[in-house]
Amino acid sequence: MGGGEIETLIRLLSRLPGLGPRSARRMALHLIKKRETQMIPLVEAMEKVLDTVKTCSVCGNLDTVDPCAICSDVRRDDGVICVVRDVSDLWAIERSGAFRGRYHVLGGLLSPMEGTGPDDLHLSALESRVRSSRAEELILALPATVDGQTTGHYIAERLKDLNVRISSLAQGIPVGGELDYLDDGTIQTALRARG
Amino acid sequence: MGGGEIETLIRLLSRLPGLGPRSARRMALHLIKKRETQMIPLVEAMEKVLDTVKTCSVCGNLDTVDPCAICSDVRRDDGVICVVRDVSDLWAIERSGAFRGRYHVLGGLLSPMEGTGPDDLHLSALESRVRSSRAEELILALPATVDGQTTGHYIAERLKDLNVRISSLAQGIPVGGELDYLDDGTIQTALRARG
């Protein structure tokens, strides 16, 4: 179909997260039909991102400027650094509007299963940043998974002699959470952490 | 995030079929991280498709040549034209390997609900093609939905005075279909069409 050009597009689309061959075909056809309103703008947006977006050398965030807008915002609090696994988690916290400090993006989690060790994460950068900055608190905003907890413990242990308080996100019942639909672990944690 | 460039990319991705804001964000991050292996090849593939792919003026298929490879393949049977709603359905029939005739892509179905009338589909083109071609049979390979059946009846009525036999895909139990999991309509149709 399409002398190979359409097939190549479908193959590349099907390698994107969450897409299989069927949804990639659907997406390719959609793009070809909506050439002016979707495909051309999408190509232009991707080229723009390729040209301008880079990783912040301070915190690991993605932005068109380095240091990123968050790192260079003088209104934000230097006293707190929020440690996240990934840029997507940074975005999630920013959307919540509940945090006005700085970030540090680890770029992953320690995972013996996947062979990710301390040197694969931006941990030395975090350590030297904490040493040289005015940060008083490090919030470990990591996933409530085994790898997330392992990573949190590792960071707390590694930085324990530095003059910084280490905290973690509270665990419990999510807002709007119906007990009936929550897993046992969440209910147990929420009971233990009751207050 | 990303001075607007990443947000623009996410907004455009979230307008693709099957993607919401969350999966669009995930996809954008994935593309930015896999810059060399995924994003650049995808931009190049889309540019290639934009440059080369066009609609076949005979059958409505998409290809880099016009007439398309199927229309110009001398080994295919001019005696049968398979009428499909869309290029995706043409691809599905080609994948089955069970058809060696020609196609005609309607570009949609008659739908009073969505305001799609006969003039919105490539029906005049089908009519003049049948008049001028050596086609002896027209296979209506349309979805087994109300709109699909309406469209099929309309085409059969409109072309009934032309010298062409009109057939439809058989309806019944799909291969591997467990009766227990099939809807009542399918079982009723399969019973009525038993043989």
Side-chain angles (χ1 to χ4, degrees):
Chain A
M1 39 176 147
E5 281 78 359
I6 301 179
E7 272 176 276
T8 303
L9 176 60
I10 292 172
R11 191 172 46 74
L12 287 167
L13 287 172
S14 70
R15 280 161 50 191
L16 295 177
L19 292 190
R22 190 194 190 80
S23 42
R25 283 196 297 266
R26 199 164 142 235
M27 197 169 282
L29 259 188
H30 177 90
L31 286 168
I32 293 169
K33 285 186 199 166
K34 309 270 179 181
R35 180 191 168 88
E36 303 296 328
T37 58
Q38 306 229 342
M39 194 154 174
I40 292 174
L42 186 58
V43 168
E44 286 170 355
M46 283 169 53
E47 282 175 336
K48 191 96 186 178
V49 164
L50 283 169
D51 281 349
T52 60
V53 172
K54 49 204 139 205
T55 301
C56 173
S57 56
V58 178
C59 76
N61 187 17
L62 293 167
D63 205 337
T64 51
V65 285
D66 180 17
C68 74
I70 293 176
C71 281
S72 56
D73 184 345
V74 290
R75 292 162 304 177
R76 295 189 74 122
D77 183 2
D78 281 327
V80 203
I81 297 175
C82 183
V83 178
V84 291
R85 174 184 50 183
D86 214 338
V87 175
S88 55
D89 294 347
L90 183 159
W91 290 348
I93 295 173
E94 283 297 288
R95 283 198 300 279
S96 80
F99 182 68
R100 295 296 297 164
R102 312 288 179 182
Y103 288 97
H104 194 85
V105 179
L106 292 177
L109 295 174
L110 295 180
S111 172
M113 295 290 283
E114 293 174 21
T116 314
D119 294 342
D120 300 313
L121 310 181
H122 301 130
L123 284 168
S124 314
L126 175 63
E127 195 175 336
S128 50
R129 200 174 157 197
V130 170
R131 279 183 198 281
S132 64
S133 76
R134 288 176 295 168
E136 289 150 16
E137 183 179 359
L138 214 59
I139 304 176
L140 302 177
L142 300 173
T145 61
V146 172
D147 288 350
Q149 301 308 296
T150 306
T151 309
H153 286 135
Y154 177 88
I155 294 174
E157 187 60 29
R158 179 157 164 178
L159 305 186
K160 72 173 189 296
D161 296 331
L162 299 184
N163 189 23
V164 69
R165 188 162 73 86
I166 293 179
S167 62
S168 300
L169 291 187
Q171 281 189 29
I173 295 172
V175 174
E178 298 267 16
L179 291 190
D180 205 18
Y181 287 88
L182 290 171
D183 64 299
D184 297 347
T186 297
I187 293 177
Q188 286 158 13
T189 307
L191 269 174
R192 274 199 301 271
R194 69 190 179 278
Chain B
M1 37 176 148
E5 281 78 1
I6 302 179
E7 272 175 276
T8 302
L9 176 60
I10 292 172
R11 190 173 45 75
L12 287 167
L13 288 171
S14 71
R15 281 160 50 190
L16 296 176
L19 292 190
R22 191 194 190 79
S23 42
R25 283 196 297 267
R26 199 164 142 234
M27 196 168 282
L29 259 187
H30 178 89
L31 286 168
I32 293 170
K33 285 185 198 165
K34 310 271 180 182
R35 179 192 170 88
E36 302 297 328
T37 58
Q38 306 229 342
M39 194 155 174
I40 291 174
L42 186 58
V43 168
E44 286 169 356
M46 287 183 9
E47 281 174 337
K48 192 96 188 179
V49 165
L50 282 169
D51 282 350
T52 59
V53 173
K54 49 205 138 203
T55 300
C56 173
S57 56
V58 178
C59 76
N61 187 17
L62 293 167
D63 205 338
T64 51
V65 286
D66 180 16
C68 74
I70 294 176
C71 282
S72 55
D73 184 344
V74 291
R75 291 161 303 175
R76 296 189 74 124
D77 183 1
D78 281 326
V80 203
I81 297 175
C82 182
V83 178
V84 291
R85 174 185 49 183
D86 213 337
V87 174
S88 55
D89 293 346
L90 183 159
W91 290 348
I93 295 171
E94 283 297 288
R95 283 198 301 278
S96 81
F99 181 69
R100 295 297 298 164
R102 311 289 179 180
Y103 288 97
H104 194 85
V105 179
L106 292 178
L109 295 174
L110 295 179
S111 173
M113 295 290 283
E114 292 175 20
T116 315
D119 294 342
D120 300 314
L121 309 181
H122 301 130
L123 283 169
S124 314
L126 175 63
E127 196 175 335
S128 49
R129 199 174 157 196
V130 170
R131 279 184 197 281
S132 63
S133 78
R134 289 176 295 167
E136 289 151 17
E137 183 181 359
L138 213 59
I139 305 176
L140 302 177
L142 301 173
T145 60
V146 173
D147 289 350
Q149 302 307 297
T150 306
T151 309
H153 287 137
Y154 177 87
I155 294 173
E157 187 60 28
R158 179 156 165 177
L159 305 186
K160 72 173 189 296
D161 296 331
L162 299 184
N163 189 24
V164 69
R165 187 162 74 85
I166 293 180
S167 62
S168 299
L169 291 187
Q171 283 188 30
I173 296 171
V175 173
E178 298 267 18
L179 291 190
D180 206 18
Y181 288 88
L182 290 171
D183 65 297
D184 297 348
T186 298
I187 293 178
Q188 286 159 13
T189 307
L191 271 173
R192 275 200 300 270
R194 71 189 177 276

